[in-house]
């Protein structure tokens, strides 16, 4: 089977499963954005997925993403690139040069670094999600739940950033359904303060149906569409 046919088949299956999960939850499938995570896969795969109708792509490493975006150049108009990986502060400027959305902002110093980077590069403001840790130990990436309100306020007050919502990765040990219920409550609290922060980014290949049931409006799917990554993700 050609790579194109393989991607087409898996993409169709994921789209169908997203639609089914939405139907079960009584939600409109148009409420859920599918971000295809192309990390570790070549730009040629993103180009094929573009032909198949994908417009939102997720990447987790600055250097790799920047090269991929440059390689695709003007051939993929309308694409939005999402940074979903852990961020070093000294990479904010580079990330702001290719990303339309940064989903993994988890500390005040990063907010300040992106605000400065976007004000210097000019152009469109940057869409930002706060990544929250559901582990509650702050050692893995993600802000502690109690730190989310102040971070959200800081983003909302930044001239060049737009607060879009909340992102999370399910904790390794916990039951994802429980974790996602807790996440949905954190998102409700965020929306009470910031009504336009409507995005809830949760759900990956193994659990996107559970996340949709809990209110996710953005699922980040890699393996189920592209296959197993050549090396483990960071
Ligand atoms: C790699 C990655 C994904 C995609 O994971 P899959 O299990 O391959 O679908 C989603 N979100 C984040 C933050 C990731 O790093």
């Amino acid at each position: 089977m050609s790579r194109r046919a393989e991607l087409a088949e898996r993409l169709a299956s994921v789209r169908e499963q997203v639609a089914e999960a939405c139907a079960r939850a009584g939600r409109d499938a148009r409420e859920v954005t599918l971000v295809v995570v192309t990390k570790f896969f070549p730009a040629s795969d993103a180009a094929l997925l573009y032909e198949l109708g994908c417009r939102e792509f997720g990447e987790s490493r600055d250097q790799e993403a920047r090269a991929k975006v440059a390689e695709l150049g003007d051939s993929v108009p309308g694409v939005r690139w999402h940074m979903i990986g852990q961020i070093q502060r000294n990479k904010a400027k580079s990330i702001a040069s290719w990303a339309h959305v940064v989903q993994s902002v988890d500390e005040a110093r990063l907010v300040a670094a992106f605000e400065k980077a976007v004000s210097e590069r000019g152009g469109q403001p940057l869409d930002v999600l706060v990544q929250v840790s559901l582990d509650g130990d702050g050692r893995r990436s993600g802000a502690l739940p109690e730190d989310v309100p102040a971070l959200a306020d800081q983003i909302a007050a930044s001239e060049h950033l737009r607060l879009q919502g909340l992102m999370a990765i399910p904790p390794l040990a916990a039951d994802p359904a429980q974790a996602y219920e807790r996440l949905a409550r954190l998102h409700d609290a965020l929306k009470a303060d910031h009504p336009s922060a409507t995005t809830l980014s949760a759900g990956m290949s193994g659990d996107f149906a559970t996340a949709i049931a809990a209110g996710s409006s953005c699922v980040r799917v890699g393996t189920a569409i592209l296959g197993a990554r050549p090396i483990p993700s960071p």
Side-chain angles (χ1 to χ4, degrees), residues 3-19 34-36 45 48-57 208 221-227:
R3 181 65 168 156
R4 187 189 156 92
E6 182 177 64
L7 291 173
E9 190 175 292
R10 295 209 201 100
L11 177 65
S13 165
V14 167
R15 282 183 173 148
E16 198 176 298
Q17 291 172 63
V18 167
L34 172 62
V35 174
V36 182
D45 279 350
L48 289 171
L49 288 158
Y50 182 85
E51 286 173 25
L52 295 166
C54 300
R55 292 294 179 270
E56 315 274 336
F57 293 101
F208 62 81
V221 180
T223 311
I225 295 170
L226 288 125

PDB file of all heavy atoms in Angstrom, residues 3-19 34-36 45 48-57 208 221-227:
ATOM      1  N   ARG A   3       2.103   5.044   0.866  1.00  0.00           N
ATOM      2  CA  ARG A   3       2.025   5.833   2.101  1.00  0.00           C
ATOM      3  C   ARG A   3       0.753   6.680   2.096  1.00  0.00           C
ATOM      4  O   ARG A   3       0.079   6.819   3.105  1.00  0.00           O
ATOM      5  CB  ARG A   3       3.281   6.717   2.216  1.00  0.00           C
ATOM      6  CG  ARG A   3       3.329   7.569   3.482  1.00  0.00           C
ATOM      7  CD  ARG A   3       3.420   6.727   4.736  1.00  0.00           C
ATOM      8  NE  ARG A   3       3.743   7.522   5.925  1.00  0.00           N
ATOM      9  CZ  ARG A   3       3.438   7.155   7.165  1.00  0.00           C
ATOM     10  NH1 ARG A   3       2.807   6.014   7.395  1.00  0.00           N
ATOM     11  NH2 ARG A   3       3.768   7.904   8.176  1.00  0.00           N
ATOM     12  N   ARG A   4       0.446   7.206   0.935  1.00  0.00           N
ATOM     13  CA  ARG A   4      -0.755   8.040   0.832  1.00  0.00           C
ATOM     14  C   ARG A   4      -2.024   7.245   1.187  1.00  0.00           C
ATOM     15  O   ARG A   4      -2.874   7.705   1.944  1.00  0.00           O
ATOM     16  CB  ARG A   4      -0.879   8.594  -0.587  1.00  0.00           C
ATOM     17  CG  ARG A   4      -1.979   9.600  -0.735  1.00  0.00           C
ATOM     18  CD  ARG A   4      -2.209   9.954  -2.181  1.00  0.00           C
ATOM     19  NE  ARG A   4      -3.541  10.425  -2.294  1.00  0.00           N
ATOM     20  CZ  ARG A   4      -4.005  11.662  -2.215  1.00  0.00           C
ATOM     21  NH1 ARG A   4      -3.358  12.488  -2.138  1.00  0.00           N
ATOM     22  NH2 ARG A   4      -5.203  12.060  -2.234  1.00  0.00           N
ATOM     23  N   ALA A   5      -2.129   6.031   0.646  1.00  0.00           N
ATOM     24  CA  ALA A   5      -3.301   5.194   0.908  1.00  0.00           C
ATOM     25  C   ALA A   5      -3.365   4.798   2.385  1.00  0.00           C
ATOM     26  O   ALA A   5      -4.443   4.764   2.992  1.00  0.00           O
ATOM     27  CB  ALA A   5      -3.260   3.955   0.021  1.00  0.00           C
ATOM     28  N   GLU A   6      -2.191   4.500   2.956  1.00  0.00           N
ATOM     29  CA  GLU A   6      -2.126   4.126   4.368  1.00  0.00           C
ATOM     30  C   GLU A   6      -2.598   5.293   5.256  1.00  0.00           C
ATOM     31  O   GLU A   6      -3.428   5.120   6.161  1.00  0.00           O
ATOM     32  CB  GLU A   6      -0.674   3.766   4.682  1.00  0.00           C
ATOM     33  CG  GLU A   6      -0.373   3.302   6.068  1.00  0.00           C
ATOM     34  CD  GLU A   6       1.109   2.927   6.179  1.00  0.00           C
ATOM     35  OE1 GLU A   6       1.976   3.817   6.034  1.00  0.00           O
ATOM     36  OE2 GLU A   6       1.384   1.745   6.394  1.00  0.00           O
ATOM     37  N   LEU A   7      -2.076   6.490   4.969  1.00  0.00           N
ATOM     38  CA  LEU A   7      -2.476   7.666   5.762  1.00  0.00           C
ATOM     39  C   LEU A   7      -3.970   7.951   5.574  1.00  0.00           C
ATOM     40  O   LEU A   7      -4.681   8.271   6.527  1.00  0.00           O
ATOM     41  CB  LEU A   7      -1.643   8.889   5.370  1.00  0.00           C
ATOM     42  CG  LEU A   7      -0.155   8.850   5.761  1.00  0.00           C
ATOM     43  CD1 LEU A   7       0.590  10.045   5.168  1.00  0.00           C
ATOM     44  CD2 LEU A   7       0.019   8.824   7.278  1.00  0.00           C
ATOM     45  N   ALA A   8      -4.438   7.807   4.339  1.00  0.00           N
ATOM     46  CA  ALA A   8      -5.852   8.088   4.050  1.00  0.00           C
ATOM     47  C   ALA A   8      -6.749   7.156   4.858  1.00  0.00           C
ATOM     48  O   ALA A   8      -7.758   7.582   5.431  1.00  0.00           O
ATOM     49  CB  ALA A   8      -6.112   7.932   2.554  1.00  0.00           C
ATOM     50  N   GLU A   9      -6.361   5.862   4.905  1.00  0.00           N
ATOM     51  CA  GLU A   9      -7.168   4.877   5.595  1.00  0.00           C
ATOM     52  C   GLU A   9      -7.208   5.160   7.105  1.00  0.00           C
ATOM     53  O   GLU A   9      -8.273   5.158   7.727  1.00  0.00           O
ATOM     54  CB  GLU A   9      -6.568   3.494   5.325  1.00  0.00           C
ATOM     55  CG  GLU A   9      -7.421   2.342   5.763  1.00  0.00           C
ATOM     56  CD  GLU A   9      -6.784   1.017   5.323  1.00  0.00           C
ATOM     57  OE1 GLU A   9      -6.742   0.755   4.099  1.00  0.00           O
ATOM     58  OE2 GLU A   9      -6.309   0.279   6.207  1.00  0.00           O
ATOM     59  N   ARG A  10      -6.029   5.432   7.683  1.00  0.00           N
ATOM     60  CA  ARG A  10      -5.986   5.667   9.141  1.00  0.00           C
ATOM     61  C   ARG A  10      -6.672   6.985   9.505  1.00  0.00           C
ATOM     62  O   ARG A  10      -7.350   7.083  10.520  1.00  0.00           O
ATOM     63  CB  ARG A  10      -4.542   5.682   9.633  1.00  0.00           C
ATOM     64  CG  ARG A  10      -3.838   4.339   9.473  1.00  0.00           C
ATOM     65  CD  ARG A  10      -2.782   4.182  10.555  1.00  0.00           C
ATOM     66  NE  ARG A  10      -1.779   3.201  10.190  1.00  0.00           N
ATOM     67  CZ  ARG A  10      -0.579   3.511   9.711  1.00  0.00           C
ATOM     68  NH1 ARG A  10      -0.206   4.779   9.565  1.00  0.00           N
ATOM     69  NH2 ARG A  10       0.277   2.565   9.407  1.00  0.00           N
ATOM     70  N   LEU A  11      -6.489   7.992   8.660  1.00  0.00           N
ATOM     71  CA  LEU A  11      -7.135   9.280   8.923  1.00  0.00           C
ATOM     72  C   LEU A  11      -8.654   9.131   8.888  1.00  0.00           C
ATOM     73  O   LEU A  11      -9.364   9.648   9.761  1.00  0.00           O
ATOM     74  CB  LEU A  11      -6.667  10.311   7.886  1.00  0.00           C
ATOM     75  CG  LEU A  11      -7.310  11.690   7.970  1.00  0.00           C
ATOM     76  CD1 LEU A  11      -6.924  12.393   9.280  1.00  0.00           C
ATOM     77  CD2 LEU A  11      -6.875  12.557   6.769  1.00  0.00           C
ATOM     78  N   ALA A  12      -9.146   8.391   7.900  1.00  0.00           N
ATOM     79  CA  ALA A  12     -10.597   8.187   7.791  1.00  0.00           C
ATOM     80  C   ALA A  12     -11.116   7.476   9.042  1.00  0.00           C
ATOM     81  O   ALA A  12     -12.179   7.814   9.572  1.00  0.00           O
ATOM     82  CB  ALA A  12     -10.919   7.386   6.530  1.00  0.00           C
ATOM     83  N   SER A  13     -10.350   6.487   9.518  1.00  0.00           N
ATOM     84  CA  SER A  13     -10.768   5.743  10.701  1.00  0.00           C
ATOM     85  C   SER A  13     -10.807   6.651  11.936  1.00  0.00           C
ATOM     86  O   SER A  13     -11.753   6.604  12.724  1.00  0.00           O
ATOM     87  CB  SER A  13      -9.820   4.553  10.896  1.00  0.00           C
ATOM     88  OG  SER A  13      -9.964   4.030  12.178  1.00  0.00           O
ATOM     89  N   VAL A  14      -9.791   7.490  12.099  1.00  0.00           N
ATOM     90  CA  VAL A  14      -9.772   8.398  13.258  1.00  0.00           C
ATOM     91  C   VAL A  14     -10.920   9.398  13.163  1.00  0.00           C
ATOM     92  O   VAL A  14     -11.621   9.659  14.150  1.00  0.00           O
ATOM     93  CB  VAL A  14      -8.405   9.125  13.371  1.00  0.00           C
ATOM     94  CG1 VAL A  14      -8.474  10.297  14.347  1.00  0.00           C
ATOM     95  CG2 VAL A  14      -7.323   8.137  13.810  1.00  0.00           C
ATOM     96  N   ARG A  15     -11.143   9.927  11.973  1.00  0.00           N
ATOM     97  CA  ARG A  15     -12.251  10.888  11.809  1.00  0.00           C
ATOM     98  C   ARG A  15     -13.585  10.237  12.167  1.00  0.00           C
ATOM     99  O   ARG A  15     -14.445  10.864  12.796  1.00  0.00           O
ATOM    100  CB  ARG A  15     -12.284  11.418  10.373  1.00  0.00           C
ATOM    101  CG  ARG A  15     -11.221  12.477  10.120  1.00  0.00           C
ATOM    102  CD  ARG A  15     -11.361  13.006   8.705  1.00  0.00           C
ATOM    103  NE  ARG A  15     -10.489  14.145   8.437  1.00  0.00           N
ATOM    104  CZ  ARG A  15      -9.955  14.418   7.255  1.00  0.00           C
ATOM    105  NH1 ARG A  15     -10.196  13.617   6.226  1.00  0.00           N
ATOM    106  NH2 ARG A  15      -9.193  15.479   7.084  1.00  0.00           N
ATOM    107  N   GLU A  16     -13.731   8.980  11.758  1.00  0.00           N
ATOM    108  CA  GLU A  16     -14.960   8.262  12.058  1.00  0.00           C
ATOM    109  C   GLU A  16     -15.115   8.059  13.575  1.00  0.00           C
ATOM    110  O   GLU A  16     -16.198   8.236  14.128  1.00  0.00           O
ATOM    111  CB  GLU A  16     -14.899   6.913  11.345  1.00  0.00           C
ATOM    112  CG  GLU A  16     -16.204   6.209  11.177  1.00  0.00           C
ATOM    113  CD  GLU A  16     -15.986   4.926  10.370  1.00  0.00           C
ATOM    114  OE1 GLU A  16     -15.551   5.001   9.205  1.00  0.00           O
ATOM    115  OE2 GLU A  16     -16.209   3.842  10.943  1.00  0.00           O
ATOM    116  N   GLN A  17     -14.000   7.683  14.228  1.00  0.00           N
ATOM    117  CA  GLN A  17     -14.058   7.474  15.681  1.00  0.00           C
ATOM    118  C   GLN A  17     -14.340   8.781  16.426  1.00  0.00           C
ATOM    119  O   GLN A  17     -15.032   8.791  17.448  1.00  0.00           O
ATOM    120  CB  GLN A  17     -12.752   6.867  16.188  1.00  0.00           C
ATOM    121  CG  GLN A  17     -12.527   5.431  15.740  1.00  0.00           C
ATOM    122  CD  GLN A  17     -11.122   4.967  16.105  1.00  0.00           C
ATOM    123  OE1 GLN A  17     -10.770   4.887  17.271  1.00  0.00           O
ATOM    124  NE2 GLN A  17     -10.310   4.703  15.096  1.00  0.00           N
ATOM    125  N   VAL A  18     -13.805   9.884  15.910  1.00  0.00           N
ATOM    126  CA  VAL A  18     -14.096  11.191  16.520  1.00  0.00           C
ATOM    127  C   VAL A  18     -15.589  11.489  16.372  1.00  0.00           C
ATOM    128  O   VAL A  18     -16.259  11.894  17.329  1.00  0.00           O
ATOM    129  CB  VAL A  18     -13.240  12.318  15.880  1.00  0.00           C
ATOM    130  CG1 VAL A  18     -13.761  13.699  16.273  1.00  0.00           C
ATOM    131  CG2 VAL A  18     -11.769  12.171  16.282  1.00  0.00           C
ATOM    132  N   ALA A  19     -16.114  11.236  15.172  1.00  0.00           N
ATOM    133  CA  ALA A  19     -17.542  11.500  14.926  1.00  0.00           C
ATOM    134  C   ALA A  19     -18.418  10.630  15.833  1.00  0.00           C
ATOM    135  O   ALA A  19     -19.423  11.107  16.384  1.00  0.00           O
ATOM    136  CB  ALA A  19     -17.864  11.249  13.451  1.00  0.00           C
ATOM    137  N   LEU A  34      -9.215  18.305  15.025  1.00  0.00           N
ATOM    138  CA  LEU A  34      -8.214  17.235  14.997  1.00  0.00           C
ATOM    139  C   LEU A  34      -6.855  17.841  14.636  1.00  0.00           C
ATOM    140  O   LEU A  34      -6.671  18.353  13.527  1.00  0.00           O
ATOM    141  CB  LEU A  34      -8.616  16.181  13.954  1.00  0.00           C
ATOM    142  CG  LEU A  34      -7.593  15.085  13.658  1.00  0.00           C
ATOM    143  CD1 LEU A  34      -7.284  14.246  14.896  1.00  0.00           C
ATOM    144  CD2 LEU A  34      -8.086  14.188  12.513  1.00  0.00           C
ATOM    145  N   VAL A  35      -5.947  17.811  15.603  1.00  0.00           N
ATOM    146  CA  VAL A  35      -4.567  18.232  15.335  1.00  0.00           C
ATOM    147  C   VAL A  35      -3.758  16.966  15.061  1.00  0.00           C
ATOM    148  O   VAL A  35      -3.681  16.085  15.918  1.00  0.00           O
ATOM    149  CB  VAL A  35      -3.971  19.011  16.528  1.00  0.00           C
ATOM    150  CG1 VAL A  35      -2.491  19.308  16.300  1.00  0.00           C
ATOM    151  CG2 VAL A  35      -4.742  20.303  16.766  1.00  0.00           C
ATOM    152  N   VAL A  36      -3.203  16.869  13.863  1.00  0.00           N
ATOM    153  CA  VAL A  36      -2.421  15.690  13.507  1.00  0.00           C
ATOM    154  C   VAL A  36      -0.974  15.923  13.939  1.00  0.00           C
ATOM    155  O   VAL A  36      -0.341  16.890  13.519  1.00  0.00           O
ATOM    156  CB  VAL A  36      -2.490  15.412  11.991  1.00  0.00           C
ATOM    157  CG1 VAL A  36      -1.714  14.146  11.656  1.00  0.00           C
ATOM    158  CG2 VAL A  36      -3.926  15.278  11.526  1.00  0.00           C
ATOM    159  N   ASP A  45       5.035  13.555   4.721  1.00  0.00           N
ATOM    160  CA  ASP A  45       3.800  13.029   5.314  1.00  0.00           C
ATOM    161  C   ASP A  45       2.800  14.165   5.584  1.00  0.00           C
ATOM    162  O   ASP A  45       1.598  14.017   5.350  1.00  0.00           O
ATOM    163  CB  ASP A  45       4.093  12.295   6.633  1.00  0.00           C
ATOM    164  CG  ASP A  45       4.587  10.872   6.407  1.00  0.00           C
ATOM    165  OD1 ASP A  45       4.518  10.387   5.255  1.00  0.00           O
ATOM    166  OD2 ASP A  45       5.048  10.244   7.383  1.00  0.00           O
ATOM    167  N   LEU A  48       1.159  15.030   2.359  1.00  0.00           N
ATOM    168  CA  LEU A  48       0.107  14.072   1.978  1.00  0.00           C
ATOM    169  C   LEU A  48      -1.161  14.307   2.810  1.00  0.00           C
ATOM    170  O   LEU A  48      -2.280  14.296   2.286  1.00  0.00           O
ATOM    171  CB  LEU A  48       0.592  12.631   2.183  1.00  0.00           C
ATOM    172  CG  LEU A  48       1.659  12.131   1.201  1.00  0.00           C
ATOM    173  CD1 LEU A  48       2.214  10.779   1.648  1.00  0.00           C
ATOM    174  CD2 LEU A  48       1.075  12.032  -0.213  1.00  0.00           C
ATOM    175  N   LEU A  49      -0.964  14.527   4.111  1.00  0.00           N
ATOM    176  CA  LEU A  49      -2.120  14.751   4.994  1.00  0.00           C
ATOM    177  C   LEU A  49      -2.825  16.059   4.629  1.00  0.00           C
ATOM    178  O   LEU A  49      -4.049  16.176   4.739  1.00  0.00           O
ATOM    179  CB  LEU A  49      -1.674  14.739   6.452  1.00  0.00           C
ATOM    180  CG  LEU A  49      -1.305  13.328   6.947  1.00  0.00           C
ATOM    181  CD1 LEU A  49      -0.385  13.385   8.161  1.00  0.00           C
ATOM    182  CD2 LEU A  49      -2.576  12.544   7.275  1.00  0.00           C
ATOM    183  N   TYR A  50      -2.055  17.020   4.180  1.00  0.00           N
ATOM    184  CA  TYR A  50      -2.653  18.283   3.706  1.00  0.00           C
ATOM    185  C   TYR A  50      -3.573  17.998   2.516  1.00  0.00           C
ATOM    186  O   TYR A  50      -4.712  18.478   2.469  1.00  0.00           O
ATOM    187  CB  TYR A  50      -1.542  19.269   3.318  1.00  0.00           C
ATOM    188  CG  TYR A  50      -2.064  20.605   2.857  1.00  0.00           C
ATOM    189  CD1 TYR A  50      -2.375  21.604   3.775  1.00  0.00           C
ATOM    190  CD2 TYR A  50      -2.259  20.871   1.495  1.00  0.00           C
ATOM    191  CE1 TYR A  50      -2.865  22.834   3.351  1.00  0.00           C
ATOM    192  CE2 TYR A  50      -2.747  22.097   1.067  1.00  0.00           C
ATOM    193  CZ  TYR A  50      -3.049  23.072   2.005  1.00  0.00           C
ATOM    194  OH  TYR A  50      -3.532  24.283   1.601  1.00  0.00           O
ATOM    195  N   GLU A  51      -3.069  17.183   1.580  1.00  0.00           N
ATOM    196  CA  GLU A  51      -3.904  16.822   0.413  1.00  0.00           C
ATOM    197  C   GLU A  51      -5.178  16.100   0.848  1.00  0.00           C
ATOM    198  O   GLU A  51      -6.198  16.173   0.182  1.00  0.00           O
ATOM    199  CB  GLU A  51      -3.127  15.901  -0.535  1.00  0.00           C
ATOM    200  CG  GLU A  51      -2.059  16.611  -1.326  1.00  0.00           C
ATOM    201  CD  GLU A  51      -1.203  15.624  -2.131  1.00  0.00           C
ATOM    202  OE1 GLU A  51      -1.696  14.510  -2.450  1.00  0.00           O
ATOM    203  OE2 GLU A  51      -0.054  15.966  -2.410  1.00  0.00           O
ATOM    204  N   LEU A  52      -5.079  15.396   1.983  1.00  0.00           N
ATOM    205  CA  LEU A  52      -6.242  14.657   2.499  1.00  0.00           C
ATOM    206  C   LEU A  52      -7.150  15.550   3.352  1.00  0.00           C
ATOM    207  O   LEU A  52      -8.075  15.063   3.997  1.00  0.00           O
ATOM    208  CB  LEU A  52      -5.773  13.440   3.302  1.00  0.00           C
ATOM    209  CG  LEU A  52      -5.023  12.373   2.474  1.00  0.00           C
ATOM    210  CD1 LEU A  52      -4.296  11.375   3.373  1.00  0.00           C
ATOM    211  CD2 LEU A  52      -5.999  11.648   1.541  1.00  0.00           C
ATOM    212  N   GLY A  53      -6.823  16.832   3.418  1.00  0.00           N
ATOM    213  CA  GLY A  53      -7.732  17.782   4.069  1.00  0.00           C
ATOM    214  C   GLY A  53      -7.307  18.260   5.448  1.00  0.00           C
ATOM    215  O   GLY A  53      -8.025  19.059   6.055  1.00  0.00           O
ATOM    216  N   CYS A  54      -6.171  17.795   5.956  1.00  0.00           N
ATOM    217  CA  CYS A  54      -5.734  18.243   7.297  1.00  0.00           C
ATOM    218  C   CYS A  54      -5.151  19.651   7.215  1.00  0.00           C
ATOM    219  O   CYS A  54      -4.415  19.973   6.287  1.00  0.00           O
ATOM    220  CB  CYS A  54      -4.683  17.288   7.851  1.00  0.00           C
ATOM    221  SG  CYS A  54      -5.297  15.604   8.008  1.00  0.00           S
ATOM    222  N   ARG A  55      -5.504  20.454   8.210  1.00  0.00           N
ATOM    223  CA  ARG A  55      -5.010  21.834   8.226  1.00  0.00           C
ATOM    224  C   ARG A  55      -4.340  22.208   9.552  1.00  0.00           C
ATOM    225  O   ARG A  55      -3.799  23.288   9.690  1.00  0.00           O
ATOM    226  CB  ARG A  55      -6.169  22.820   7.957  1.00  0.00           C
ATOM    227  CG  ARG A  55      -6.721  22.736   6.540  1.00  0.00           C
ATOM    228  CD  ARG A  55      -5.695  23.184   5.508  1.00  0.00           C
ATOM    229  NE  ARG A  55      -6.201  23.092   4.144  1.00  0.00           N
ATOM    230  CZ  ARG A  55      -6.086  22.006   3.370  1.00  0.00           C
ATOM    231  NH1 ARG A  55      -5.497  20.916   3.827  1.00  0.00           N
ATOM    232  NH2 ARG A  55      -6.553  22.008   2.138  1.00  0.00           N
ATOM    233  N   GLU A  56      -4.445  21.336  10.564  1.00  0.00           N
ATOM    234  CA  GLU A  56      -3.844  21.623  11.876  1.00  0.00           C
ATOM    235  C   GLU A  56      -2.822  20.528  12.162  1.00  0.00           C
ATOM    236  O   GLU A  56      -3.159  19.337  12.151  1.00  0.00           O
ATOM    237  CB  GLU A  56      -4.919  21.611  12.986  1.00  0.00           C
ATOM    238  CG  GLU A  56      -6.205  22.354  12.662  1.00  0.00           C
ATOM    239  CD  GLU A  56      -6.150  23.844  12.970  1.00  0.00           C
ATOM    240  OE1 GLU A  56      -5.342  24.261  13.826  1.00  0.00           O
ATOM    241  OE2 GLU A  56      -6.919  24.594  12.333  1.00  0.00           O
ATOM    242  N   PHE A  57      -1.582  20.950  12.422  1.00  0.00           N
ATOM    243  CA  PHE A  57      -0.514  19.986  12.677  1.00  0.00           C
ATOM    244  C   PHE A  57       0.184  20.316  13.985  1.00  0.00           C
ATOM    245  O   PHE A  57       0.366  21.488  14.321  1.00  0.00           O
ATOM    246  CB  PHE A  57       0.499  19.999  11.526  1.00  0.00           C
ATOM    247  CG  PHE A  57      -0.059  19.483  10.222  1.00  0.00           C
ATOM    248  CD1 PHE A  57      -0.464  20.362   9.228  1.00  0.00           C
ATOM    249  CD2 PHE A  57      -0.204  18.122  10.005  1.00  0.00           C
ATOM    250  CE1 PHE A  57      -1.000  19.892   8.032  1.00  0.00           C
ATOM    251  CE2 PHE A  57      -0.740  17.636   8.817  1.00  0.00           C
ATOM    252  CZ  PHE A  57      -1.132  18.524   7.826  1.00  0.00           C
ATOM    253  N   PHE A 208      -8.626   9.491  22.877  1.00  0.00           N
ATOM    254  CA  PHE A 208      -9.347  10.694  22.427  1.00  0.00           C
ATOM    255  C   PHE A 208     -10.866  10.572  22.601  1.00  0.00           C
ATOM    256  O   PHE A 208     -11.545  11.574  22.838  1.00  0.00           O
ATOM    257  CB  PHE A 208      -8.932  11.132  21.011  1.00  0.00           C
ATOM    258  CG  PHE A 208      -9.199  10.158  19.910  1.00  0.00           C
ATOM    259  CD1 PHE A 208     -10.455  10.058  19.346  1.00  0.00           C
ATOM    260  CD2 PHE A 208      -8.179   9.366  19.394  1.00  0.00           C
ATOM    261  CE1 PHE A 208     -10.694   9.174  18.303  1.00  0.00           C
ATOM    262  CE2 PHE A 208      -8.411   8.468  18.352  1.00  0.00           C
ATOM    263  CZ  PHE A 208      -9.681   8.369  17.813  1.00  0.00           C
ATOM    264  N   VAL A 221      -3.591  13.848  17.708  1.00  0.00           N
ATOM    265  CA  VAL A 221      -3.425  12.439  17.363  1.00  0.00           C
ATOM    266  C   VAL A 221      -2.230  12.224  16.431  1.00  0.00           C
ATOM    267  O   VAL A 221      -2.177  12.799  15.341  1.00  0.00           O
ATOM    268  CB  VAL A 221      -4.723  11.902  16.710  1.00  0.00           C
ATOM    269  CG1 VAL A 221      -4.567  10.434  16.348  1.00  0.00           C
ATOM    270  CG2 VAL A 221      -5.915  12.091  17.661  1.00  0.00           C
ATOM    271  N   GLY A 222      -1.279  11.414  16.891  1.00  0.00           N
ATOM    272  CA  GLY A 222      -0.106  11.075  16.091  1.00  0.00           C
ATOM    273  C   GLY A 222      -0.150   9.631  15.616  1.00  0.00           C
ATOM    274  O   GLY A 222      -0.515   9.329  14.474  1.00  0.00           O
ATOM    275  N   THR A 223       0.200   8.721  16.533  1.00  0.00           N
ATOM    276  CA  THR A 223       0.367   7.301  16.213  1.00  0.00           C
ATOM    277  C   THR A 223      -0.807   6.687  15.440  1.00  0.00           C
ATOM    278  O   THR A 223      -0.585   5.920  14.495  1.00  0.00           O
ATOM    279  CB  THR A 223       0.569   6.513  17.530  1.00  0.00           C
ATOM    280  OG1 THR A 223       1.578   7.184  18.287  1.00  0.00           O
ATOM    281  CG2 THR A 223       0.996   5.094  17.272  1.00  0.00           C
ATOM    282  N   ALA A 224      -2.019   7.003  15.807  1.00  0.00           N
ATOM    283  CA  ALA A 224      -3.180   6.360  15.174  1.00  0.00           C
ATOM    284  C   ALA A 224      -3.299   6.739  13.696  1.00  0.00           C
ATOM    285  O   ALA A 224      -3.981   6.056  12.937  1.00  0.00           O
ATOM    286  CB  ALA A 224      -4.466   6.726  15.919  1.00  0.00           C
ATOM    287  N   ILE A 225      -2.641   7.825  13.294  1.00  0.00           N
ATOM    288  CA  ILE A 225      -2.697   8.232  11.893  1.00  0.00           C
ATOM    289  C   ILE A 225      -1.381   7.935  11.172  1.00  0.00           C
ATOM    290  O   ILE A 225      -1.365   7.392  10.073  1.00  0.00           O
ATOM    291  CB  ILE A 225      -3.056   9.732  11.774  1.00  0.00           C
ATOM    292  CG1 ILE A 225      -4.478   9.970  12.302  1.00  0.00           C
ATOM    293  CG2 ILE A 225      -2.944  10.206  10.318  1.00  0.00           C
ATOM    294  CD1 ILE A 225      -4.859  11.433  12.462  1.00  0.00           C
ATOM    295  N   LEU A 226      -0.260   8.270  11.826  1.00  0.00           N
ATOM    296  CA  LEU A 226       1.034   8.148  11.138  1.00  0.00           C
ATOM    297  C   LEU A 226       1.736   6.828  11.402  1.00  0.00           C
ATOM    298  O   LEU A 226       2.684   6.482  10.712  1.00  0.00           O
ATOM    299  CB  LEU A 226       1.931   9.325  11.540  1.00  0.00           C
ATOM    300  CG  LEU A 226       1.444  10.629  10.901  1.00  0.00           C
ATOM    301  CD1 LEU A 226       1.200  11.700  11.939  1.00  0.00           C
ATOM    302  CD2 LEU A 226       2.396  11.111   9.837  1.00  0.00           C
ATOM    303  N   GLY A 227       1.302   6.097  12.419  1.00  0.00           N
ATOM    304  CA  GLY A 227       1.989   4.869  12.801  1.00  0.00           C
ATOM    305  C   GLY A 227       2.946   5.134  13.949  1.00  0.00           C
ATOM    306  O   GLY A 227       3.044   6.264  14.436  1.00  0.00           O
TER     307      GLY A 227
END
